[in-house]
Amino acid sequence: MKIKPIRNEKDYQNALERLEVIFDAKKGTDNGDELEILAILIDNYENENFRIGMPDPISAISFRMEQMGLKQKDLVDMIGFKSRVSEIMNRKRKLTLEMIRKLNTNLNIPTEVLIQDY
């Protein structure tokens, strides 16, 4: 087992290739230990170099609605009148702090996503 830090794209590709070879290694074996360490190194490299930005609030709400099978009318209790829901979802009105709290609680959307500007 020869493991080294992942410093560039070539190191990253080599690590991925090795990971693929030992992917089914049993835990507690030499290959299993190597697999575990490689996975950590690859994860760290990807988090530093391939960051995925947060979605904007309205996209996050739409996505969660789709996941939960909700319609805009289902947001009335969280946002207010049906017309207000429409304004929010069409980006004509901003979310208020109270709306953000209710959406966070009811749809389990992180507040750091909901408070972003859009």
Side-chain angles (χ1 to χ4, degrees):
M1 171 169 60
K2 183 179 179 190
I3 294 181
K4 62 179 191 160
I6 300 174
R7 294 189 177 104
N8 54 45
E9 184 65 25
K10 184 178 181 208
D11 292 343
Y12 174 65
Q13 290 303 321
N14 289 336
L16 288 175
E17 287 172 13
R18 178 63 184 156
L19 184 76
E20 192 173 322
V21 169
I22 61 172
F23 190 75
D24 292 324
K26 301 281 186 223
K27 197 171 191 168
T29 64
D30 287 344
N31 281 347
D33 292 345
E34 182 181 3
L35 173 68
E36 194 172 341
I37 294 167
L38 268 178
I40 292 167
L41 290 173
I42 290 169
D43 185 52
N44 287 342
Y45 183 82
E46 289 174 346
N47 288 337
E48 289 176 12
N49 294 284
F50 306 118
R51 292 202 170 140
I52 298 173
M54 289 190 287
D56 72 83
I58 304 308
S59 296
I61 294 167
S62 295
F63 180 71
R64 185 69 74 192
M65 288 172 60
E66 185 179 320
Q67 283 183 321
M68 299 173 76
L70 300 176
K71 305 278 186 224
Q72 281 194 10
K73 66 182 176 94
D74 299 316
L75 299 181
V76 170
D77 291 338
M78 293 170 254
I79 292 178
F81 301 106
K82 187 177 176 183
S83 60
R84 182 154 300 145
V85 172
S86 180
E87 290 173 341
I88 295 288
M89 297 308 290
N90 288 311
R91 302 169 192 270
K92 294 180 180 175
R93 183 185 286 262
K94 300 289 185 183
L95 292 168
T96 65
L97 183 57
E98 184 178 344
M99 291 176 197
I100 289 170
R101 286 179 179 149
K102 288 179 180 179
L103 290 165
N104 170 257
T105 300
N106 295 302
L107 300 183
N108 200 26
I109 300 172
T111 54
E112 56 268 14
V113 170
L114 294 170
I115 62 171
Q116 294 179 101
D117 197 22
Y118 59 95

